[in-house]
Amino acid sequence: MTAVNVNHLYKSYSGKAAVEDLTFSVNSGELLGLIGPNGAGKSTTIKILLDFMKPDSGEVRIYGESMNETLKNKIGYLPEERGLYKRLTAIDQILYFSSLKCMNHSTAVKKADQLLRQTGMLESKQKKIKDMSKGMGQIIQFIVTIIHDPQLIILDEPFSGLDPVNTEMMKKFIAQLRDEGKSVILSTHQMNQVEELCDRVLMINHGREVLYGDLLEIKNNFKEHSVLIDVAGEIGNLHGVINQKVNKGIIELDLLPETTPQSILDQLIEKEIPIHHFEIKKPSLNEIFLQLAGGNHE
Amino acid sequence: MNKTFLIFKHELTLAIKRAGYIILTLIVPVLALLAIGIAQLVTSLSKTPENNIMHIGYVDEPGLVDKAVDEDFTSFIPYASKENANQALTSNEISTYFIIPDNYLSSGTIQRYTLEKENTTSPATVALIKRFLSENLLKDKISPEVLHLVVSPLNLEVTRVTAQGEQAQEQKSFFNVIIPGIFALLLSLALMFGTITLVSSLGEEKESHLIEVLFSSVSIRQLLIGKLLALGLAGLLQVLVWLISTPLLLLLSSSLFGGLMSVIEIPGNFILLGLIYFILGYLLFAVLSIGVGAITPTAREGGQLSMFYVMLGFVPLWFSSLLFAFPNGTFSVILTLFPATAPVQNMLRLGVTDIPLWQILVSIGLLVLTISFGLYSSIKIFRVYMLIHGKRPGLKTIFQHLKSA
């Protein structure tokens, strides 16, 4: 089932296009990465999706409908900046926002305790947001976003302010939500953060689509003809290699067009060189973006 | 549960828990209590007999005064010469003295001497000396009854009659303006602090992007109406506390001001009209605050901009002397009809005069129209500007956005 359908979206500020002819969709149980550099138009797209602002033209449908009050209860939104009452305690905050999503109070109390425990925040539930670190506030914001069991979750820079441990925890939560059949839009300028999570990506720059599609297909399409190896000893001359570079003990071999990675692996085995690591090099999303955006990337 | 009600409940709790709100609510009665206490203290201290009597010296060169007639709380002490009187003055035996010169009967001039730095002689002292001279000049020439009338010729009693010529139930009195006056002042304060609370609350929510989280759950209308009602009720609760404390304070101070409570009359239509004007005034300032909260990027800038229209709420109080002098004058009528000044002006004016029905109806009508248009425009403005951070737009840009929204 299609959760989000966006057709030919256009939005400008003072005559300057912020979003230009964007078309994309998000299916149930799918995690779409909305990626691009700062100022690419990601937040504007999200604000139009959530009906915070009207597009100049184009159409947004959520579960086949235009945004309405009932639909809002099916959506969880985590904004780019923390949107919490600084003087309220974590638990009061969570319960208030859950009530605005029409959640039953006793269910909300149980769910809040469960999520606070899962995120290691149970002991801080009576703490005021102003007394919390940015990372702790971000976790509370995340709980506020998902407490009402939304079908569509929109996360704008969810890893901002999180330490590596909490970033990993958040990633696991997001993956779990996707596995539970929720639709997730994950917007970020840190493209490496979404590579391991997203099923599909929509890459935008200057409000325009740069790339849109299945992440694996994209990576395959953009894969370079080279392999990365970590071996014990000298590899000597290998047939079909046109160039080799060494970086921190990892050797990158650029191959001739007719050479396959398998033939390189076969040669190494034949030479009885112990292999610690063998990888067909695929470009990161960041590299793909730089390749596509080229000089247009600011 | 209705989302507007949830916002109302939440905002009301936040508003009444604010330190500023609690302090303001309690400070008005506390300050009044303090003022009464100080006044009572001063009164009790000044009740000692030696402090109660004013000693005025005089030098009678033409010999007009046979025997000084002491007035209440005033004792006139004769001195043979200016030097004697001067010595008494500098040694604080008397508070002032005057000389009746030889040529007084032809010139009518007397000289007064004092240690105080005065721009002019106080009316009370002038009245005392006048009375002293009149009584001494006339005491053997006319009867005591006529002499009394010469000194105090007028005790004006005014009776207000109805259009049917019967004695009106509600008589005009200075004290009638006390309750409306107090409530006009309280309304101005409530409008000011309600406006500041609303503008700062919206500003903070905008600055912290909290508004985005709220709008992902509720509509602009639900949020703004919930806030308006909550802050309106918070304001009403505040006034209720002041209202309850006012009679208690007046009762406490009744010993100080004599039988004040017995002479205070609340105008018949004051409670109903006062309530209507309070609610309409609050709503008007609240919708203006939403507009201001929407276009200003920070709570601080919003607070500064809101001061422009908050001041309008105080205009009737600044010009209250004009209202007392000409309660039905053109200026009073303008303030009665102008929506931003109408609530406070009319609350005050009800204590001074009967406002013609057409003026009440027109002012209420204009207020309702302005609030409706203001709410409609403010919601539109809010929708356009709620997510815009940075520079405040100019009026021209706002109108352009309003037209296209």
Side-chain angles (χ1 to χ4, degrees), chain A:
Chain A
M1 187 185 179
T2 308
V4 179
N5 225 322
V6 174
N7 283 308
H8 305 289
L9 211 61
Y10 185 92
K11 177 74 186 174
S12 67
Y13 298 120
S14 310
K16 195 180 171 194
V19 172
E20 214 174 336
D21 198 29
L22 270 190
T23 296
F24 64 94
S25 64
V26 187
N27 299 317
S28 293
E30 184 183 53
L31 205 157
L32 177 82
L34 179 59
I35 54 178
N38 290 328
K42 303 185 298 292
S43 291
T44 302
T45 306
I46 287 175
K47 281 163 188 170
I48 295 171
L49 283 185
L50 289 163
D51 199 36
F52 293 169
M53 56 172 75
K54 299 283 178 202
D56 297 341
S57 63
E59 188 191 38
V60 175
R61 309 291 279 182
I62 313 276
Y63 296 108
E65 297 175 50
S66 296
M67 182 58 83
N68 56 58
E69 292 313 303
T70 317
L71 265 184
K72 284 187 174 179
N73 296 339
K74 292 183 181 174
I75 299 172
Y77 168 57
L78 183 139
E80 187 178 359
E81 305 273 343
R82 302 298 68 80
L84 297 169
Y85 292 97
K86 291 189 181 81
R87 286 182 284 266
L88 278 193
T89 62
I91 187 70
D92 285 346
Q93 201 112 222
I94 295 167
L95 295 178
Y96 173 56
F97 284 113
S98 69
S99 73
L100 291 182
K101 293 288 189 184
C102 299
M103 201 177 179
N104 173 282
H105 182 74
S106 57
T107 314
V109 171
K110 278 182 203 160
K111 189 76 187 289
D113 270 6
Q114 180 200 328
L115 288 170
L116 285 164
R117 191 175 296 109
Q118 280 179 319
T119 52
M121 293 287 290
L122 193 60
E123 285 180 7
S124 303
K125 75 175 194 178
Q126 296 297 347
K127 254 192 181 178
K128 290 181 179 171
I129 297 300
K130 68 182 172 75
D131 301 326
M132 288 184 175
S133 68
K134 194 181 176 196
M136 288 168 87
Q138 180 73 333
I139 294 170
I140 298 300
Q141 187 87 63
F142 185 67
I143 294 175
V144 164
T145 307
I146 61 165
I147 188 164
H148 59 291
D149 199 25
Q151 294 306 299
L152 171 64
I153 299 152
I154 300 173
L155 309 169
D156 199 354
E157 302 288 358
F159 309 113
S160 161
L162 292 181
D163 59 29
V165 175
N166 283 326
T167 301
E168 280 312 303
M169 182 191 70
M170 185 83 89
K171 278 182 184 172
K172 276 184 193 164
F173 256 107
I174 295 170
Q176 190 185 325
L177 290 167
R178 189 253 328 268
D179 295 344
E180 285 170 5
K182 320 281 189 208
S183 308
V184 182
I185 297 176
L186 198 165
S187 165
T188 181
H189 68 283
Q190 293 172 298
M191 300 185 203
N192 59 323
Q193 297 279 21
V194 298
E195 290 197 55
E196 56 196 277
L197 284 171
C198 295
D199 303 303
R200 289 194 301 145
V201 290
L202 169 64
M203 191 183 277
I204 57 173
N205 191 29
H206 299 302
R208 295 188 73 98
E209 176 195 310
V210 174
L211 196 65
Y212 173 50
D214 185 89
L215 184 63
L216 285 177
E217 276 178 26
I218 289 170
K219 286 209 160 192
N220 279 332
N221 291 342
F222 282 84
K223 76 178 175 193
E224 294 165 33
H225 205 45
S226 54
V227 293
L228 299 169
I229 59 170
D230 180 11
V231 293
E234 290 294 317
I235 57 168
N237 287 330
L238 294 174
H239 181 69
V241 174
I242 50 169
N243 189 26
Q244 76 174 56
K245 290 173 277 188
V246 181
N247 185 18
K248 292 176 184 171
I250 302 290
I251 305 164
E252 182 178 343
L253 304 173
D254 293 334
L255 313 181
L256 285 167
E258 63 273 18
T259 310
T260 62
Q262 184 63 48
S263 74
I264 299 295
L265 184 63
D266 290 345
Q267 287 180 67
L268 290 171
I269 293 167
E270 200 175 296
K271 287 185 172 187
E272 295 182 341
I273 297 171
I275 304 165
H276 300 156
H277 180 91
F278 186 93
E279 179 191 338
I280 300 167
K281 191 187 175 194
K282 284 180 183 165
S284 67
L285 277 174
N286 213 26
E287 287 166 326
I288 294 172
F289 176 78
L290 287 172
Q291 196 179 325
L292 288 171
N296 287 329
H297 176 43
E298 288 163 10

Side-chain angles (χ1 to χ4, degrees), chain A residues 47 51-52 54 69 72-73 77 79 81-85 87-88 96-97 99-102 141, chain B residues 3 6-7 10-11 14 204-205 208-210 212-219 222 383 386-387:
Chain A
K47 281 163 188 170
D51 199 36
F52 293 169
K54 299 283 178 202
E69 292 313 303
K72 284 187 174 179
N73 296 339
Y77 168 57
E81 305 273 343
R82 302 298 68 80
L84 297 169
Y85 292 97
R87 286 182 284 266
L88 278 193
Y96 173 56
F97 284 113
S99 73
L100 291 182
K101 293 288 189 184
C102 299
Q141 187 87 63
Chain B
K3 288 184 181 179
L6 287 169
I7 290 163
H10 176 77
E11 292 291 334
L14 284 185
E204 278 169 22
E205 284 171 6
S208 68
H209 295 255
L210 185 59
E212 293 176 27
V213 185
L214 287 166
F215 285 138
S216 70
S217 304
V218 301
S219 68
Q222 284 169 331
R383 180 162 193 106
M386 69 173 181
L387 302 171

Side-chain angles (χ1 to χ4, degrees), chain B residues 344-396:
Chain B
V344 175
Q345 165 74 2
N346 292 346
M347 217 174 259
L348 204 57
R349 201 173 161 206
L350 280 168
V352 184
T353 185
D354 282 335
I355 307 175
L357 184 64
W358 73 266
Q359 288 182 22
I360 291 174
L361 293 177
V362 171
S363 75
I364 289 175
L366 285 174
L367 268 167
V368 170
L369 274 176
T370 315
I371 291 163
S372 310
F373 177 73
L375 187 62
Y376 170 78
S377 308
S378 291
I379 287 175
K380 265 190 154 186
I381 291 173
F382 208 87
R383 180 162 193 106
V384 175
Y385 290 104
M386 69 173 181
L387 302 171
I388 293 177
H389 307 274
K391 205 182 162 193
R392 176 158 50 88
L395 269 179
K396 196 178 161 192

